[in-house]
Amino acid sequence: VDFLDPHGDLGSGSEGCRARLKDKEARRDFWKRVIDPKNVSTGWILFAVLIFPAVFAASFAIDILLGGAAPSLRTFSDIGADPLLIVQLVVIGMLFGALPEELGWRGVALERLQSRWNPLLASLVLALRG
Amino acid sequence: MPFSERAFLIQAVIGAIVAVTLLEVIAPARRIR
C-alpha cells in the first residue's frame, strides 16, 4: 500500500496525508469530517466516551468476582492531590498522541484501507502497521 | 500494582469482542465508513 511506506509514516503529516490533502475537495471533505459534529450522532458520541470506562469496569468486576483484589485508586488520589496533572495528561495525550493519530489514521489511511478490505481487516492492517 | 494481570486479560478479551462486533457486524450493517 503506497501511503503506508516506511518513508511516509502516518502519525503526523505523512506523505500519504499530504498527497491526500493536496486535492482541494478532499481537503475540504477531510476538515469537514474533523470539525462537523453532525457527522456523529449523540448516541455514538456517548458510546465512544463510555465504552472504555465500561470495559475497564466490567473487567475489574469480573476479576473481583473471580477472587481478584480490587484495583488501587492511586492514580485518582494522585490527580486529587495535584489537579494540574489532569491538564498535563489531557494536553500532552491529546495534542501529541490521539489527535495527530486520529487525523492521519482514522481520517486518511483507514478510508483508503477500507476501500480495499472490510472494516476488520483494514483496522488490523492499520493496527499492525501503525 | 494497580490491577492484576487477569483483569488486564479480561479487558483484552472484552475489548476484542467489542471491536470485532463493531467492525464486523455494526459497521457493515450501518455502512459506517
Side-chain angles (χ1 to χ4, degrees), chain A residues 8-10 13 18 21 34 36 45 48 59-60 78 83 87 89 102 118 129:
Chain A
D9 203 24
L10 282 171
R18 273 192 294 258
L21 297 178
V34 171
D36 190 355
I45 292 174
S59 67
F60 293 144
D78 284 353
V87 178
L89 279 172
E102 290 304 322
N118 69 29
R129 179 53 187 78

Side-chain angles (χ1 to χ4, degrees), chain B residues 13-33:
Chain B
V13 172
I14 300 174
I17 294 168
V18 171
V20 171
T21 307
L22 279 171
L23 294 166
E24 278 292 271
V25 183
I26 296 168
R30 292 170 159 254
R31 292 161 194 249
I32 293 169
R33 69 174 179 126

Side-chain angles (χ1 to χ4, degrees), chain A residues 25-39:
Chain A
E25 194 159 323
R27 200 162 56 221
R28 191 181 301 150
D29 174 62
F30 173 82
W31 286 112
K32 190 177 178 294
R33 285 192 288 147
V34 171
I35 56 169
D36 190 355
K38 277 182 286 197
N39 282 327

